[in-house]
């Protein structure tokens, strides 16, 4: 494992320290976990953006035209305020 000096604004460090105490982990463990979670979220968004860029909207809409117009199963109905 390698080290990296990180400059953090005082108000963020205060929140991180409090969160580490609540979670009963070291501040290092908390920050590594949060960084890892953020990187995973970023990677997921990039993957979705890549997939969206390759999407064929016309083909998807064409497929939807072939779907039968039947009522939703019991319990799958949209909320009353949605069309």
């Amino acid at each position: 494992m390698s080290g990296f000096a990180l400059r953090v604004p005082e108000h963020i460090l205060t929140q991180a320290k409090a969160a580490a105490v609540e979670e009963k982990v070291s501040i290092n463990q908390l920050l590594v976990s949060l960084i890892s979670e953020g990187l995973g979220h970023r990677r997921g968004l990039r993957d979705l953006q890549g997939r969206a860029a390759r999407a064929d909207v016309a083909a998807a809409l064409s497929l939807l035209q072939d779907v039968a117009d039947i009522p939703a199963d019991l319990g799958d109905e949209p909320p009353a305020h949605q069309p």
Side-chain angles (χ1 to χ4, degrees), residues 1-5:
M1 190 176 298
S2 58
F4 180 80

Side-chain angles (χ1 to χ4, degrees), residues 29-64:
Q29 284 178 291
L30 178 80
L31 292 176
V32 167
S33 175
L34 291 172
I35 291 168
S36 178
E37 184 179 323
L39 289 172
H41 179 74
R42 181 178 185 269
R43 186 173 40 254
L45 286 176
R46 293 257 170 127
D47 288 348
L48 286 173
Q49 289 169 340
R51 293 177 73 179
R54 295 188 307 271
D56 184 342
V57 176
L61 292 174
S62 175
L63 286 172
L64 289 174

